[in-house]
Amino acid sequence: METKRDRKAWLKGGAAQCDTPPLDSKTPRRLVLLGAPGVGKGTQAELLGARLGACHLSTGDIFRTAKGLDACERTPAMTAALEYMRRGELVPDETVLALVAERGGCLGCCGGFLLDGFPRTVAQADALDKLLKEQRVKLDAVLSYELPLEQIVARLSGRRTCAGCKAVFHLEARPPKVKGVCDHCGGSLYQREDDRPESIRVRMAAYEKSTAPLASFYRRRGLLVPILADGSPEEIFQRSLEALTARGRKPATVAG
Ligand code: AP5
């Protein structure tokens, strides 16, 4: 079984600490992965994380972890957030920002980060700027994954997710070695509730309205790196690495 970073500090928040702390990289990568639901951000985050050593920080994974808790262990805001998520709607900025602020230390982590699913609105992007300043770090780039809608829907309908470590598989494009079992931790694989057709439609609409404008937000800051998300996960991963190399380690034009 391959080992995967446990991300406990990010997934649980509060005083939780990671069991496997990152190596202290001299050149930590700090990236945002942008793109429509199902385009493959989580898949690329896993591949990039394994190569670059940066931690995969997904806000969706925070909510899915909270879903596994007993109802009495969740705050009312989290219970409400899970209901938004089930319908495919965005969770209110206030709730998301409180969760991310509580995990601000993960942004300053010496191993770097790959933010996936955050920011998702201009208000969240502004808040991220502030959090990064507080941690005295800057974004290297925003990788923006682009693909036509029909292909995205096919990816979502075949997705299976690990209940334990949240690793992502696809029934055809990225099947697990043993049916229904996670390659990384041996956890069982399940289909996400928000991958039903009615939730997918709501998620796509929320993306177009609230998240797509972030492309111009980051283009203006000289951070946007568009990546064609067609082809196999490994091909897109290679494209991502090449785009990062081509960009070099040029600092952001505007402070993050
Ligand atoms: P979140 O968990 O962030 O979901 P998402 O953005 O909708 O993205 P997905 O996880 O669905 O897709 P992905 O791009 O990571 O694709 P993946 O790699 O899995 O958010 C869920 C919900 O939480 C939101 O709807 C909202 O309610 C709430 N939320 C979270 N953050 C929030 C925020 N900041 N503000 C407000 N609300 C927030 O790939 C998809 C499938 O395709 C997989 O099966 C994969 O194996 C397969 N695949 C990947 N690449 C390829 C390929 N190249 N070819 C074929 N198949 C592929």
Side-chain angles (χ1 to χ4, degrees), residues 45-242:
E46 279 187 36
L47 295 168
L48 288 164
R51 174 66 64 91
L52 305 174
C55 198
H56 176 196
L57 306 183
S58 154
T59 36
D61 282 348
I62 298 178
F63 295 126
R64 283 182 285 278
T65 300
K67 199 166 172 232
L69 300 174
D70 287 339
C72 60
E73 290 179 275
R74 289 186 219 130
T75 61
M78 181 57 87
T79 302
L82 295 179
E83 194 47 34
Y84 281 104
M85 189 178 174
R86 194 185 61 74
R87 292 195 298 262
E89 293 167 23
L90 290 188
V91 174
D93 285 339
E94 197 189 350
T95 306
V96 175
L97 293 176
L99 289 170
V100 176
E102 191 200 347
R103 291 159 173 79
C106 292
L107 300 174
C109 177
C110 58
F113 61 75
L114 301 158
L115 271 175
D116 164 15
F118 179 87
R120 242 177 165 105
T121 63
V122 171
Q124 291 182 17
D126 284 332
L128 176 62
D129 276 355
K130 288 199 191 95
L131 287 169
L132 293 174
K133 271 192 193 126
E134 281 166 23
Q135 295 292 329
R136 299 171 192 271
V137 294
K138 285 182 179 175
L139 276 184
D140 291 325
V142 175
L143 303 182
S144 175
Y145 292 97
E146 292 164 8
L147 192 69
L149 188 64
E150 323 79 73
Q151 290 185 54
I152 294 182
V153 173
R155 287 184 185 179
L156 284 175
S157 54
R159 170 162 56 193
R160 296 294 179 272
T161 305
C162 174
C165 71
K166 317 294 171 211
V168 172
F169 298 86
H170 190 276
L171 292 180
E172 283 148 27
R174 213 171 169 73
K177 290 178 189 133
V178 178
K179 194 177 169 201
V181 178
C182 176
D183 291 354
H184 306 288
C185 73
S188 51
L189 305 184
Y190 73 101
Q191 182 165 32
R192 273 170 48 175
E193 217 176 6
D194 60 350
D195 280 348
R196 291 168 307 165
E198 61 274 26
S199 301
I200 291 176
R201 273 193 297 278
V202 177
R203 286 162 68 196
M204 292 301 174
Y207 174 77
E208 282 304 326
K209 179 168 174 250
S210 305
T211 312
L214 288 183
S216 28
F217 179 97
Y218 284 118
R219 191 178 298 111
R220 282 197 300 275
R221 285 162 164 72
L223 286 167
L224 197 77
V225 179
I227 313 264
L228 178 64
D230 193 13
S232 71
E234 285 69 24
E235 283 168 340
I236 300 161
F237 171 56
Q238 287 307 326
R239 234 172 260 151
S240 305
L241 288 179
E242 282 160 22

